[in-house]
Amino acid sequence: MENLIKESAENKAVVDSLYQAFSKGDVPGVLGTMDSQIIWNEAEGNEYAKGNPYVGPDAVLNGVFGPILQDHEYFNLKDIEIHEMLHGKVLATLRYDAKYKSGKAYNAQVAHFWTVKNGKITGFQQYVDTKKLHEASIA
């Protein structure tokens, strides 16, 4: 049990380092937390889900992060709480505080479900109020 608790804390630290890098705009730092074969899924109904699943950091960069940066004036993660789980899983609850270049801002409740193995993120599943995101994306 002690090993599971230690692994859980280590996995939480990996996910926290991704959020820290994201908050600084450190894209190489964000991508560096990911396994070369990460499986990344945006929430169903999210406009960025059209490429699901994204496999590998380059696919995430080009299919998710790049379009988000292109479409938004700003995109911030707020009120991040990281919850330790067992068996390589980490849950983060947070909010997206963002504004499309069209001028419409939104603040959406979000959950990120992470899978971590051997110190690298191997899986991601986003859960978000896609209706709120869609309404803000309409110019």
Side-chain angles (χ1 to χ4, degrees):
M1 185 66 168
E2 190 173 309
N3 285 343
L4 282 176
I5 293 170
K6 181 182 176 195
E7 178 186 321
S8 176
E10 290 170 355
N11 292 341
K12 180 181 176 184
V14 170
V15 171
D16 184 54
S17 70
L18 177 138
Y19 287 122
Q20 293 297 322
F22 189 90
S23 72
K24 297 173 190 167
D26 177 8
V27 174
V30 171
L31 299 178
T33 64
M34 298 178 188
D35 183 83
S36 64
Q37 294 300 307
I38 188 173
I39 306 285
W40 184 285
N41 285 289
E42 292 290 297
E44 293 176 3
N46 183 342
E47 67 181 285
Y48 305 115
K50 60 186 166 228
N52 282 353
Y54 296 93
V55 179
D58 286 342
V60 175
L61 176 63
N62 296 320
V64 181
F65 296 160
I68 287 172
L69 291 173
Q70 183 178 353
D71 295 344
H72 288 80
E73 185 175 316
Y74 62 84
F75 187 91
N76 298 308
L77 308 180
K78 301 284 187 177
D79 304 326
I80 301 167
E81 290 188 39
I82 302 174
H83 311 275
E84 291 180 39
M85 301 176 76
L86 299 178
H87 309 295
K89 306 297 184 191
V90 177
L91 177 68
T93 53
L94 58 144
R95 298 195 73 84
Y96 291 161
D97 177 33
K99 183 177 182 181
Y100 278 97
K101 288 183 178 175
S102 66
K104 289 190 179 177
Y106 60 93
N107 188 295
Q109 182 181 37
V110 183
H112 291 163
F113 188 62
W114 303 94
T115 304
V116 182
K117 186 174 183 181
N118 299 323
K120 292 287 188 177
I121 297 170
T122 60
F124 170 83
Q125 177 62 60
Q126 173 199 54
Y127 299 93
V128 64
D129 182 347
T130 55
K131 182 176 187 275
K132 188 176 278 190
L133 272 58
H134 177 72
E135 287 173 350
S137 73
I138 300 170

